[in-house]
Amino acid sequence: MSRTGELSPEPLPDYDRTEELKAFDDTKAGVKGLVDAGIVSIPRIFIRPPEELAEELNSCHGDIKVPVIDLSNIHSSERREEIVDEIRVASEKWGFFQVINHEIPLSVLDEMMDGTRRFHEQDAEVKKEFYTRDQMKKVRYETNYDLFLSRSANWRDTLNITKVISDNIDPGELPAACSKSSLEYIKCIRKLGNTLLELLSEALGLQADHLGSMECGKSCSLVCHYYPACPEPELTLGATSHTDPSFFTLLLQDQIGGLQVYHEGQWVNVNPIRGGVIVNIGDYLQILSNDKFKSVAHRVTANLNGPRISVACFFPGDGGTDEKPYGPIKELISESNPPRYKEFFVREFVIKFLSISLDKSVLDYYKI
């Protein structure tokens, strides 16, 4: 697309991409630093490849709606059966759905969003204390974990709070700007995660405690994204098309929108619902369910308006301690439905995920 706003597959002039990536990374100011500096054209490192921009001309953007599931009266046996069936259908056909009336107070959701904003909008020098590309750091601020691997950088910055095994987190480990809000949110979102593990287990025709007993909810990782307003949103993405390396992910998003899921050959907007929480099936659960549940591609568009803020909570099981392998659940396989995947260790899966760009899938490596 040209600077005048018309799509154009014309290649960009040659330039030293690695040098520009390093210069950007060395600022430790992220995408927000570019916006704060008053740029009116996005740097070349963010511009999508010409073939992607040309393909976008023919892409469809559907008006169909992602399923919304009401969790109220979940303790009524009759209503629970209905909820389980709705989750089964959504997980098989979409891999995505939103839940409402999930018992997390709106005040907790709002404060988590406010805390994320406070972190990203505080003084740049304070944020830099957390900036690192060391994936082993439990708390880290970064922009594009795959910056040096991807074909084009994404228009977002991220605060990661990873490997949370219990609610007993030392507040001193977390950034002061969002410590209190993160602790309360983690406590509530883990509780919702455990409820959903039961519902997902039942949706697979298993006992309610099946996925929980496999420690699918043992740990979680909080990923707090900040997507600044973009002066040329048609040239880049907030997040490249990808699937999640987790059993499932719970996502909180603000009212700006931009999240899209790939469904039946078209990109479908996941419209924000005030107080709603998005659930998406991850790669691990697709393997465990032997393809019954789908881990589907999703992305975030860039936007002239902003910032857009979202908070994703990933549930990666044992958190990469490699205590045990995971594979298709034996109750779900048979002679007529043999295993479609090899067993995997979470740590091994994550290492593979981090070694490639976001738009590449690790699932194919484990297919039989």
Side-chain angles (χ1 to χ4, degrees), residues 85-276:
D85 189 57
E86 290 173 22
I87 287 178
R88 177 187 59 77
V89 173
S91 300
E92 290 178 356
K93 295 186 176 181
W94 281 85
F96 253 77
F97 54 94
Q98 296 199 61
V99 293
I100 57 175
N101 296 319
H102 42 64
E103 299 186 345
I104 300 180
L106 192 58
S107 59
V108 173
L109 304 181
D110 287 345
E111 183 54 31
M112 186 65 237
M113 299 296 273
D114 290 344
T116 298
R117 179 188 292 270
R118 283 194 301 271
F119 173 82
H120 285 284
E121 295 184 352
Q122 68 184 321
D123 185 89
E125 294 303 315
V126 178
K127 282 193 298 184
K128 286 180 182 179
E129 297 177 16
F130 295 94
Y131 194 92
T132 180
R133 294 215 164 270
D134 183 355
Q135 297 294 320
M136 299 307 294
K137 292 284 188 181
K138 185 174 180 180
V139 179
R140 64 184 185 277
Y141 160 56
E142 65 189 3
T143 182
N144 290 259
Y145 81 88
D146 62 343
L147 184 66
F148 295 95
L149 296 171
S150 64
R151 298 182 68 191
S152 58
N154 288 164
W155 197 258
R156 68 173 178 182
D157 300 325
T158 304
L159 170 67
N160 299 274
I161 303 171
T162 63
K163 303 173 185 174
V164 179
I165 303 295
S166 72
D167 297 333
N168 299 319
I169 307 169
D170 179 3
E173 294 182 20
L174 305 178
C178 60
S179 176
K180 184 178 178 181
S181 59
S182 298
L183 291 171
E184 183 62 24
Y185 184 73
I186 287 170
K187 181 172 68 175
C188 292
I189 204 69
R190 283 174 64 89
K191 182 178 178 181
L192 176 59
N194 288 331
T195 297
L196 285 163
L197 276 176
E198 292 183 356
L199 296 171
L200 289 164
S201 294
E202 293 178 47
L204 286 169
L206 305 168
Q207 294 297 314
D209 65 349
H210 196 106
L211 293 175
S213 67
M214 296 179 69
E215 299 186 331
C216 297
K218 182 178 179 180
S219 72
C220 71
S221 293
L222 214 59
V223 180
C224 309
H225 294 306
Y226 185 93
Y227 303 83
C230 181
E232 296 179 300
E234 69 281 359
L235 295 182
T236 189
L237 285 170
T240 303
S241 172
H242 65 284
T243 59
D244 290 351
S246 64
F247 287 102
F248 65 102
T249 304
L250 300 183
L251 178 74
L252 177 63
Q253 66 170 342
D254 64 14
Q255 298 302 297
I256 288 181
L259 175 64
Q260 297 180 331
V261 58
Y262 199 68
H263 179 70
E264 295 184 348
Q266 60 185 333
W267 288 107
V268 177
N269 293 319
V270 184
N271 296 320
I273 296 176
R274 175 83 167 130

Side-chain angles (χ1 to χ4, degrees), residues 322-346:
D322 274 2
E323 293 179 355
K324 61 182 179 182
Y326 291 98
I329 296 172
K330 62 178 176 24
E331 288 86 349
L332 303 180
I333 59 177
S334 63
E335 187 175 340
S336 60
N337 183 34
R340 302 181 183 184
Y341 297 93
K342 299 178 288 187
E343 289 187 333
F344 70 95
F345 287 96
V346 168

